[in-house]
Every structure is written in structure tokens, then in C-alpha cells.
Amino acid sequence: MTTIGLSGLDALPRRIDRLDELALDLWWSWNPHARNVFRRLDYTLWRATAHNPVRMLRLLPPAELEAVARDPAFLDLYDRALRDLDPTRTSTKSWWSERVPAMPGRSIAYFSAEFAIHQSLPIYAGGLGVLAGDICKEASDLGLPLLGVGFMYPQGYFHQQVSADGWQQESYERLNWADAPVTPAVTPGGRPCVVTVPLGSRTVKVAVWRVRLGRTKLYLLDTGLEENA
């Protein structure tokens, strides 16, 4: 499967035209020099968006992007991040390939109810997600052919208030996927990836979203389709 890019974003300056690609790959979240690309891009906005590069790129005015595209210090960080990211994704030499040479072209599927990769993708609540997320990150660094499979939850954490008589009152907020580091997965033919799953006496349509984590890919299943009851 392939994916589409960051939709709804005006064209980036040519010198930094892979900035959206870097924002959509959560590999940056555990690589400090890549994270510094977004810190230097606009530190105030970095803080205001809770460290969410995808949302940052939607909010930054074109003039500011043009300015950083001429900033030597920023370009040095940007170039270094891409020099590290590209071999992480594509190199055939890794810890895994050296120790398990008999599995070329095969994948390891890792299923979990939640994956804690970064707070910009709030689909986790505790230890299970943290464990799953760390396994995905380490798999990318070691070169394991890992595919994570989980769920695309429509809501993140709720906002809590306490009433005057001491009762919790919670309000749920639907996640804005346009501000999340996800892209709809598409088939090699360019069609949206939607699968049909038998469930009792009926079937459920499931759309698939993809999250990039360096070498690792995470596929999230979404049943929030009009075709479903």
C-alpha cells in the first residue's frame, strides 16, 4: 500500500519541500536532531500546538516558511534529519538483516489495542500502548520488518470538570485527523484501502489509515464509515 501526502497544505518552498513528509513520519519524535527541526521552525507555535508538527505546518504563514527556507542554521538541521531518515527507511543493512538473513521479503505483524507513539496521536491510555509504541520504535531502529495493526479511535482524552457537589463531568472531543500524523492508506492502484470484515450475520466496512515510524508502518482500522450501522 502507498499513501497520499499531507492534504490541505499550501505548497512548501522548494528548498524545504519534504518538511511535510518529515512531519508525517513520527520517527522525528524519538530523534532529537529531527525534533529540533520543528522546534527551530517556530518555537512559540511548537509549544502552542503541544509539539504537533502537522498542525504547525497548517498554521504557519507562507512568509515564515519562505524565511526559514533561507536560514542556514535551519537548513542544516533539515538536511541532517533527512540524511538520517532516508537510510532508516530504505537501507537493506540492519541489526535484523545481519542476524536473521533467511527472512527477506517477509513481515512481522504486531497487533495491539493501542499504540503510544506521540501525544499528537492520542490513541492510547496507559502501559499497553507505551509498550506497543516502544516496540515499534525499537523495531524501526533495529530494522525489523514490523507492521503494527491497531484501531483509529474517533475520540482522544476527555476534558474533566468537577461540579460544585464534587461529581466529575466529562466532555469528549472528536479528534481532528487533519491535525494528526496519519494519512489514508491507498492500494497500489490509488484507491482508498477499505476491507470487509464478517461480524456475525453481517459485514463491517473498515477503512485503513497509515502512520509512518521510520522503517516501521502502523495501520489503524477505522469503522466510522457511512456504510456501517
Side-chain angles (χ1 to χ4, degrees), residues 13 28 50 53 57-58 68 71 84 100 137 139 159 170 204 210:
W28 68 260
L57 291 181
R58 295 189 186 283
V68 298
D71 180 350
D84 289 347
V100 191
K137 295 173 184 178
H159 301 277
E170 62 277 354
V204 175
R210 190 178 80 160

Side-chain angles (χ1 to χ4, degrees), residues 123-181:
I123 56 171
Y124 59 94
L128 174 67
V130 172
L131 173 63
D134 285 351
I135 287 174
C136 289
K137 295 173 184 178
E138 189 65 21
S140 176
D141 290 344
L142 295 178
L144 274 70
L146 188 77
L147 298 174
V149 182
F151 297 113
M152 188 71 152
Y153 297 109
Q155 296 176 148
Y157 308 125
F158 62 75
H159 301 277
Q160 176 183 274
Q161 294 180 326
V162 179
S163 66
D165 52 358
W167 290 96
Q168 172 183 287
Q169 297 175 332
E170 62 277 354
S171 60
Y172 288 87
E173 179 180 346
R174 289 190 65 86
L175 297 178
N176 182 1
W177 295 123
D179 289 338

